[in-house]
Amino acid sequence: MRRLLIAGNWKMHKTVPEALELVRELKTLVSDVTDRDILVCPPFTALYPVGRELKSSNIALGGQNMFYEEQGAFTGEISPLMLKDVGCSYVILGHSERRHIFGETDELINRKVISADEHGLIPILCVGETLEEREAGETEKVVERQVREGLKGLSPESELVIAYEPVWAIGTGKTATPELAQEVHSFIRGILSDLFSEEKAGKTRILYGGSVKPENAKGLLEMPDIDGALVGGASLKAESFAKIVKFDLEE
Ligand code: 13P
């Protein structure tokens, strides 16, 4: 039904030689995987060489962010055309680090989502509550706002991916339990159903992110509404990322 998507968000890690080493090793380790999608999102400087290395492999390429304009006086920004140009098919948008460190708002993220879609990139919209928000009982309110605002104006025909990443579980070693994650995933699917249709909600992949490791991947990925993972730290080593990709294929 929904094809699994295992994505690696390398964040601000890896020089070009390091990136190439990682991806060469990864290619070999996952070359036999055919029943799920695999994605890596290197930093901008490594996109082009990594993209070349991944040509005709089973690993897709994605950006970690982009601006919504095609070109112009936007110092330090990267456009959707540039991501397409180097071989990206996906782009992560609204990651909590973009929201919290760089002040990205739902409105800005929404413009990026629309632009990514218009340029043929599949947006991976990240949503998730902080620890404070969870403790205040605001998880659903926050996640619902981020999903609704982030997807405003998006056509029901457009392909999109949602990543639920509770901020308190990112890089902290604290993973949401599979049950807790499942609850939010199912809630998000309900919002998609309301926004688009039940059919669209049933087709849309919702990834979990936040301290996903080879040891906890299986429990999370076996949940009915968890359709993949967005992996940070554990995607920086080919072996651990490959283990997550193959969570149910090998001992
Ligand atoms: P970690 O897997 O390092 O917790 O990072 C999760 C994340 O933010 C992926 O986008």
Side-chain angles (χ1 to χ4, degrees):
M1 193 181 72
R2 288 185 295 270
R3 206 174 144 88
L4 280 170
L5 169 61
I6 312 294
N9 174 10
W10 295 4
K11 306 192 179 181
M12 199 171 72
H13 293 281
K14 306 288 176 189
T15 59
V16 169
E18 289 167 351
L20 287 173
E21 192 188 334
L22 168 55
V23 93
R24 282 181 187 136
E25 206 184 322
L26 182 64
K27 249 186 0 180
T28 318
L29 291 173
V30 302
S31 62
D32 53 339
V33 175
T34 53
D35 66 342
R36 59 202 66 185
D37 293 332
I38 308 167
L39 169 68
V40 292
C41 302
F44 291 138
T45 47
L47 281 175
Y48 180 65
V50 168
R52 280 175 59 138
E53 189 64 39
L54 292 180
K55 269 215 176 104
S56 49
S57 78
N58 58 343
I59 306 173
L61 186 72
Q64 298 177 14
N65 179 33
M66 59 164 231
F67 193 53
Y68 53 78
E69 294 286 359
E70 287 187 349
Q71 57 179 11
F74 304 104
T75 302
E77 294 296 320
I78 295 280
S79 86
L81 293 181
M82 293 166 181
L83 291 183
K84 287 288 285 183
D85 187 40
V86 292
C88 289
S89 42
Y90 292 83
V91 60
I92 299 172
L93 295 172
H95 190 279
S96 68
E97 286 146 20
R98 301 294 324 165
R99 292 177 190 265
H100 298 293
I101 306 174
F102 302 100
E104 292 200 5
T105 60
D106 287 317
E107 192 195 344
L108 174 68
I109 295 161
N110 176 241
R111 292 184 79 160
K112 294 182 176 192
V113 167
I114 299 297
S115 171
D117 174 54
E118 281 172 359
H119 290 88
L121 289 161
I122 302 170
I124 303 179
L125 172 67
C126 301
V127 300
E129 80 287 2
T130 61
L131 184 59
E132 236 182 359
E133 289 162 342
R134 170 157 289 269
E135 284 173 348
E138 290 174 350
T139 298
E140 293 197 346
K141 189 180 101 190
V142 169
V143 167
E144 177 158 12
R145 190 202 73 228
Q146 291 172 338
V147 172
R148 286 189 185 274
E149 298 290 316
L151 300 181
K152 238 182 210 165
L154 188 73
S155 148
E157 278 83 56
S158 304
E159 183 170 355
L160 94 126
V161 175
I162 304 275
Y164 170 57
E165 300 204 314
V167 180
W168 47 269
I170 297 178
T172 57
K174 283 188 202 154
T175 329
T177 61
E179 292 72 24
L180 186 151
Q182 163 60 28
E183 211 173 281
V184 182
H185 280 231
S186 150
F187 174 71
I188 293 172
R189 207 173 299 287
I191 303 169
L192 295 176
S193 179
D194 184 52
L195 265 177
F196 301 110
S197 66
E198 208 178 315
E199 193 200 344
K200 170 80 180 165
K203 279 193 200 153
T204 303
R205 292 182 288 191
I206 307 176
L207 315 183
Y208 171 78
S211 299
V212 177
K213 306 270 178 282
E215 303 77 53
N216 59 25
K218 194 165 194 277
L220 289 159
L221 291 165
E222 281 179 351
M223 286 299 183
D225 286 295
I226 302 186
D227 312 311
L230 184 53
V231 185
S235 72
L236 297 174
K237 290 216 166 78
E239 205 191 337
S240 53
F241 188 59
K243 276 191 184 152
I244 298 173
V245 169
K246 297 180 164 185
F247 70 98
D248 59 345
L249 299 176
E250 292 176 344
E251 242 317 275

